[in-house]
Amino acid sequence: TDTQLSAKAVVSTQSTGDIVIGCSVGSPAVYMAAVIARKVNCLIKVFSHSSNTKEVDSSVTNKLLCVNNGETDYCGVNLIYKDTPTPQFMACPGRLVAVSGLSNILRYVVRERKYTSLYDEEDLESAALIDEILSLVDSLEQRAHGSASEVGQILNNLAKHLQSSPYLAGDSLSIADIALCCTLTSLDTKLIPNSLRTYLVNTIRSNYEMRVLKAFLNWMPGEC
């Protein structure tokens, strides 16, 4: 069930190293929380802040609570539904970092956890390409409720990065793929071109941490 609480109350139950993500209902950050939890191998707690005025989908909440259930007792990700135009991130108890999209949260997590296979800053060319793609994904997130033509143009620009490789920035999964797949999961499927739908399915099926997204796609068979 969802709990009405303040951010301060969540902090009081945190341990060092826990992640708190505050976002609006339906935000791509909801699905990113699931991917992070699967990668870190921890459970998710879901709360609804008193500022949230949108209806919380209990089926989505149940799927989030299902992530890694029975595999670990550690709850390392706290997701708070709140009235905010952009995701908010708390990297440790009491320290709130405002971000304008998924990119900063993902960059922080991979740096802190040393997931260099997802984003290696020492590989300057690869990091620059990932950053360029992340800026497009941020634009998509910010304009997700804009006109279909505007969204379609951004999606087509992203799809161009898949013409010569299975992933956005080469032959392996990166945080650019995580950001895009979470954003696609939040979109109306009618807006997603077939090429990106195929990419989303293949990325989910080929990567352990991404398989958690299957449960949130009603057009793709899946389970927690």
Side-chain angles (χ1 to χ4, degrees):
T1 58
D2 304 312
T3 304
Q4 296 290 328
L5 82 174
S6 66
K8 186 179 293 185
V10 176
V11 172
S12 68
T13 64
Q14 272 190 280
S15 62
T16 301
D18 285 359
I19 294 171
V20 175
I21 298 172
C23 65
S24 61
V25 172
S27 166
V30 174
Y31 310 108
M32 181 188 65
V35 173
I36 291 175
R38 179 57 63 88
K39 181 68 175 179
V40 175
N41 190 29
C42 68
L43 300 174
I44 303 174
K45 286 185 179 179
V46 182
F47 305 91
S48 184
H49 190 270
S50 57
S51 67
N52 177 48
T53 58
K54 296 181 180 179
E55 183 178 355
V56 176
D57 188 334
S58 60
S59 66
V60 171
T61 298
N62 290 336
K63 290 169 183 176
L64 291 168
L65 297 177
C66 186
V67 176
N68 295 326
N69 189 22
E71 299 179 18
T72 179
D73 295 326
Y74 168 54
C75 180
V77 175
N78 296 274
L79 180 69
I80 308 174
Y81 290 122
K82 59 191 305 183
D83 182 15
T84 177
T86 58
Q88 295 178 328
F89 178 53
M90 191 175 290
C92 63
R95 184 157 66 86
L96 187 67
V97 181
V99 298
S100 60
L102 307 184
S103 303
N104 288 336
I105 296 177
L106 287 168
R107 287 191 188 98
Y108 185 97
V109 171
V110 298
R111 285 167 178 158
E112 191 271 332
R113 301 277 174 170
K114 296 180 172 59
Y115 294 146
T116 54
S117 65
L118 295 175
Y119 184 67
D120 185 358
E121 292 179 294
E122 294 186 2
D123 186 339
L124 298 181
E125 185 175 347
S126 174
L129 176 58
I130 291 172
D131 287 340
E132 178 184 348
I133 296 168
L134 283 172
S135 68
L136 280 174
V137 179
D138 284 343
S139 296
L140 176 62
E141 180 190 3
Q142 294 160 9
R143 294 169 173 78
H145 300 293
S147 67
S149 60
E150 188 176 23
V151 172
Q153 182 177 357
I154 299 173
L155 289 173
N156 288 334
N157 288 336
L158 284 162
K160 292 177 182 177
H161 289 278
L162 298 167
Q163 292 177 348
S164 59
S165 61
Y167 297 99
L168 290 169
D171 295 325
S172 61
L173 185 77
S174 73
I175 58 174
D177 298 291
I178 295 174
L180 178 56
C181 287
C182 291
T183 304
L184 292 176
T185 301
S186 72
L187 288 179
D188 183 342
T189 55
K190 296 177 182 177
L191 297 174
I192 305 174
N194 289 335
S195 61
L196 285 180
R197 191 179 293 210
T198 299
Y199 154 79
L200 178 59
V201 170
N202 290 339
T203 301
I204 289 173
R205 289 176 174 170
S206 302
N207 299 275
Y208 173 75
E209 61 267 59
M210 303 302 290
R211 292 176 197 163
V212 71
L213 294 179
K214 289 192 300 183
F216 304 99
L217 297 170
N218 58 17
W219 51 268
M220 180 181 178
E223 57 187 24
C224 290

